[in-house]
């Protein structure tokens, strides 16, 4: 049996999604629902590392049979370790969009090649391209 014909179980999907990049928040995932995030740009790199916040994006990926809905958000990762859905400043938006676009390309390619699954943007997803 080739890898393409295997049923995409939760654990096979987790393994494939981990290989896409360091963005998977595995402990916050459940069967059919996967969470990713990316700290793209430091808000103030003059602060000590434990006091830094970041501009970036997060993704809630939901499985629907043989496809996924991708709902992206952008904002600030705060000191408490939570995302705030706020506007990203102009000086950071290009890098946030670049990392988001690169990730989305890898994600769609991986899911298509390994499981013949597609990814559609959720109707409420932040547009980044």
């Amino acid at each position: 049996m080739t890898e393409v014909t295997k049923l995409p179980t939760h654990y096979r999907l987790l393994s494939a999604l981990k290989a896409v990049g360091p963005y998977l928040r595995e402990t916050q995932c459940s069967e059919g629902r996967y969470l990713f995030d990316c700290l793209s740009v430091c808000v103030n790199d003059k602060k000590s590392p434990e006091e830094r916040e970041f501009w970036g994006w997060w993704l809630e990926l939901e499985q629907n049979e043989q496809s996924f809905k991708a709902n992206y958000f952008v904002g600030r990762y705060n000191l408490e370790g939570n995302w705030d859905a706020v506007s990203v400043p102009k000086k950071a938006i290009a890098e946030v969009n670049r990392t988001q676009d690169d990730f989305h390309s890898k994600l769609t390619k991986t899911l298509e090649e390994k499981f013949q699954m597609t990814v559609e943007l959720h109707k409420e997803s932040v547009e980044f391209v």
Side-chain angles (χ1 to χ4, degrees), residues 5-128:
T5 60
K6 289 180 184 176
L7 294 175
T9 65
H10 174 65
Y11 296 104
R12 285 187 184 134
L13 285 168
L14 275 178
S15 178
L17 294 172
K18 279 193 271 188
V20 173
Y23 309 114
L24 181 67
R25 296 287 183 153
E26 191 173 351
T27 59
Q28 296 177 33
C29 296
S30 60
E31 193 162 332
R33 297 184 58 84
Y34 304 91
L35 180 68
F36 300 82
D37 68 1
C38 178
L39 310 176
S40 300
V41 179
C42 185
V43 171
N44 184 348
D45 61 2
K46 293 181 176 148
K47 291 185 176 184
S48 64
E50 58 277 353
E51 296 177 353
R52 292 182 185 167
E53 295 181 317
F54 294 86
W55 299 112
W57 55 265
W58 69 99
L59 164 64
E60 295 172 358
L61 188 68
E62 188 170 329
Q63 185 177 0
N64 298 318
E65 301 291 322
Q66 283 297 110
S67 67
F68 285 92
K69 287 280 189 190
N71 196 2
Y72 285 93
F73 303 86
V74 295
R76 183 179 59 235
Y77 191 76
N78 65 31
L79 292 176
E80 292 78 37
N82 299 310
W83 283 100
D84 296 321
V86 297
S87 295
V88 176
K90 285 184 179 182
K91 66 181 181 179
I93 198 72
E95 182 62 11
V96 170
N97 286 348
R98 185 195 66 77
T99 59
Q100 193 176 32
D101 187 46
D102 288 352
F103 171 79
H104 189 76
S105 295
K106 290 177 192 175
L107 175 69
T108 56
K109 181 179 178 185
T110 297
L111 291 172
E112 174 62 35
E113 288 177 354
K114 290 193 175 283
F115 305 110
Q116 296 178 336
M117 298 179 82
T118 59
V119 178
E120 296 176 25
L121 289 180
H122 189 280
K123 64 182 178 181
E124 296 177 14
S125 180
V126 169
E127 297 212 18
F128 55 92

